[in-house]
């Protein structure tokens, strides 16, 4: 989604509202693939304050991933507020690290939106809070019942000590 700022770039104090939908390709995040089926709705405004563009927007949509414990599909709705500072290339404010620099009279919102979503995402998704995950021995989904595997977890560094009294 390209946001044309030519109307407000030369007029201090002017503001432009926008609304649209951004299609984001699936991304790898923390070892899982996250997809945004149906796109991300973005609604906000850009205001020119002394040549610096203040972008504020609300982003909402649904994302799909997999449970970090049992790998079942997880779908979660999100609504995120974003605030960014945009400055035109070649201005003194463009030297600041906390701004997004754009060239010309328009800025592409796709990457800005994706970065803001990734910043606000949890590290992992669970199908339910008490998910038991998969058996590390046979791979059975432990939410559906026990598998019968012997799962004594011994730290490999201390495994030799478990045989100490076997002689």
């Amino acid at each position: 989604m390209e946001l044309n700022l030519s109307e407000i770039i030369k007029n201090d104090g002017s503001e432009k509202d926008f609304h649209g939908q951004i299609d984001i390709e699936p991304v790898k995040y923390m070892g899982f693939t996250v997809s945004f089926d149906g796109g991300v709705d973005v609604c906000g405004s850009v205001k020119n304050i002394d040549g610096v563009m203040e972008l504020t927007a609300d982003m909402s949509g649904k994302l799909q991933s997999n449970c970090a414990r049992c790998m079942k599909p997880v779908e979660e709705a999100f609504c995120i507020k974003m605030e960014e500072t945009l400055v035109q290339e070649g201005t003194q404010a463009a030297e600041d690290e906390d701004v997004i620099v754009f060239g010309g009279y328009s800025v592409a919102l796709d990457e800005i939106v994706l970065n803001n979503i990734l910043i606000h995402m949890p590290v992992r998704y669970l199908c339910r809070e008490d998910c038991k995950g998969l058996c590390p021995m046979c791979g059975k989904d432990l939410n559906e019942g026990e598998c019968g595997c012997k799962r004594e977890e011994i730290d490999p560094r201390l495994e030799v000590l478990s045989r100490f009294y076997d002689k």
Side-chain angles (χ1 to χ4, degrees):
M1 175 181 192
E2 278 292 315
L3 188 57
N4 187 343
L5 302 176
S6 60
E7 300 167 9
I8 65 169
I9 216 158
K10 300 286 185 196
N11 301 319
D12 189 29
S14 59
E15 189 170 351
K16 178 178 182 165
D17 294 329
F18 64 91
H19 182 267
Q21 190 171 54
I22 297 175
D23 291 323
I24 298 176
E25 294 294 317
V27 294
K28 285 282 191 185
Y29 178 74
M30 303 301 278
F32 292 94
T33 300
V34 178
S35 60
F36 303 89
D37 292 340
V40 176
D41 289 321
V42 183
C43 181
S45 65
V46 180
K47 185 172 185 177
N48 182 345
I49 303 172
D50 292 330
V52 175
M53 309 298 145
E54 294 296 330
L55 168 72
T56 57
D58 292 319
M59 305 170 293
S60 61
K62 287 186 180 177
L63 61 83
Q64 292 79 31
S65 189
N66 292 89
C67 176
R69 293 181 185 158
C70 70
M71 301 306 291
K72 286 182 182 171
V74 175
E75 183 174 285
E76 189 168 306
F78 64 90
C79 186
I80 300 169
K81 188 166 205 58
M82 126 173 115
E83 295 179 4
E84 294 288 352
T85 303
L86 310 172
V87 294
Q88 201 170 19
E89 210 172 44
T91 61
Q92 190 170 358
E95 297 171 10
D96 190 352
E97 293 178 11
D98 296 330
V99 299
I100 296 171
V101 180
F102 67 94
Y105 293 99
S106 65
V107 62
L109 289 180
D110 298 31
E111 189 174 337
I112 298 169
V113 167
L114 176 60
N115 288 337
N116 273 274
I117 292 171
L118 293 177
I119 287 169
H120 290 92
M121 281 177 49
V123 175
R124 62 186 180 156
Y125 288 98
L126 298 176
C127 62
R128 61 184 205 218
E129 200 60 40
D130 64 339
C131 178
K132 296 177 182 175
L134 303 175
C135 172
M137 307 303 274
C138 68
K140 182 180 188 300
D141 186 349
L142 298 175
N143 295 312
E144 297 172 2
E146 287 297 319
C147 59
C149 293
K150 184 179 177 184
R151 290 190 303 268
E152 285 184 22
E153 292 186 35
I154 299 174
D155 187 330
R157 297 170 293 181
L158 303 175
E159 187 175 4
V160 71
L161 295 176
S162 69
R163 296 187 296 257
F164 185 70
Y165 289 109
D166 290 346
K167 294 180 182 176

